């Protein structure tokens, strides 16, 4: 911690010599209440805030350097129950490509279906620790990342996640692809019975914009397939394969939005995905209210309904307040 503070102070002290000091401050208020009684997913309440402060500079308009801290404080706990996360990264960007290396924020950069990466990653693992790249064309884009989620020790297992995503468009029609790989290895001691797990997930969608058809903004419908593979080495002879149908509708009217998604087919075993996709049939509908929308502040409330196997109805409410400013 002292080393981090020394680096930040050196950056501040050196701002008058060459490059302008730049800073980014993010406050993320979190209210997430999950009333789950079906037994499929854990019922919990997450209430707190995450504050992130980074400073740095930009060279030649393309090369950015940032360093700082990000800290989650869950209300009712002690301030040091959650350790601060180091944010330190290099970012390159031009008209077609961008590249990150280091420990950099996940928010606004990685947006995968919940079946592949659950939303609590934003709360408890706000940074990607690894690298990210993206390339843009006139008709679409593709990106990929590697996130080193755990370093191997005598007591901790080595884990990492990799992912690819992209979109291709022609007028109102679009195609989206999402792929994730999660490798769950062992500890350095490798005790008997500690086996390596491999997990692969992929989602592919074909969709269409609906703005010209419906009296809504940013409206779309997409239909696709979700496929997963899971294996525990030395225990399973091969992979456990699962495939299901995915469909999603989204549309906005003034401050309100509606999102409804259906998963139907095989239940999946995605180690980093939302547990509701473990079942064969799941229908989620979100009613969204954006009660604040300004240059620096965004406030959103979600009322979510989860219909499991056509029988059990769970619900959740998510409140998100984001205050962001910098130079």
């Amino acid at each position: 911690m002292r080393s981090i503070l020394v680096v930040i102070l050196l950056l501040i002290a050196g701002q008058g010599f060459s490059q302008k000091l730049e800073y980014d401050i993010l406050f993320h208020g979190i209210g997430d209440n999950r009333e789950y009684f079906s037994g499929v997913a854990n019922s919990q309440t997450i209430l707190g805030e995450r504050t992130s402060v980074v400073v740095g500079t930009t060279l030649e308009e393309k090369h950015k350097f940032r360093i700082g801290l990000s800290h989650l404080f869950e209300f009712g706990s002690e301030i040091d129950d959650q350790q601060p996360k180091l944010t330190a990264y290099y970012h390159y960007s031009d008209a077609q490509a961008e590249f990150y290396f280091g420990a950099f924020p996940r928010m606004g950069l990685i947006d995968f279906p919940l079946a592949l990466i659950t939303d609590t990653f934003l709360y408890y693992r706000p940074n990607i620790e690894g690298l990210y790249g993206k390339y843009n064309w006139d008709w679409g884009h593709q990106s990929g990342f590697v996130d080193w989620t755990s370093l191997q020790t005598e007591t901790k297992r080595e884990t990492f996640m990799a992912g690819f995503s992209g979109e291709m468009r022609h007028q109102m029609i679009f195609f989206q692809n999402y792929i994730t790989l999660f490798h769950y290895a062992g500890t350095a001691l490798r005790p008997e019975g500690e086996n390596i797990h491999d997990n692969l997930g992929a989602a592919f969608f074909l969709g269409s914009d609906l703005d010209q058809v419906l009296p809504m903004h940013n409206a779309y419908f997409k239909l696709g397939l979700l496929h997963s593979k899971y294996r525990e080495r030395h225990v399973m002879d091969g992979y456990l394969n699962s495939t299901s149908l995915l469909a999603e509708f989204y549309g906005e009217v003034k401050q309100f939005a509606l999102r409804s998604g259906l998963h139907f087919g095989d239940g999946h075993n995605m180690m980093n995905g939302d547990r509701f996709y473990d079942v064969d049939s799941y229908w989620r509908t979100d009613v969204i209210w954006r009660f604040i929308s300004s240059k620096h502040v965004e406030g959103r409330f979600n009322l979510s309904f989860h219909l499991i196997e056509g029988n059990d109805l769970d619900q959740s409410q998510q409140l998100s307040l984001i205050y962001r400013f910098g130079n």
Side-chain angles (χ1 to χ4, degrees), residues 95-114:
Q96 284 191 307
E98 63 177 325
F99 173 74
Y100 287 81
F101 185 88
F104 47 91
R106 178 185 306 273
M107 181 180 290
L109 198 63
I110 303 296
D111 185 17
F112 275 64
L114 294 177

Side-chain angles (χ1 to χ4, degrees), residues 14-31:
Q15 65 173 311
F17 293 99
S18 56
Q19 302 297 324
K20 176 185 176 183
L21 177 72
E22 299 169 341
Y23 63 89
D24 298 292
I25 299 175
L26 172 69
F27 172 87
H28 183 194
I30 302 165

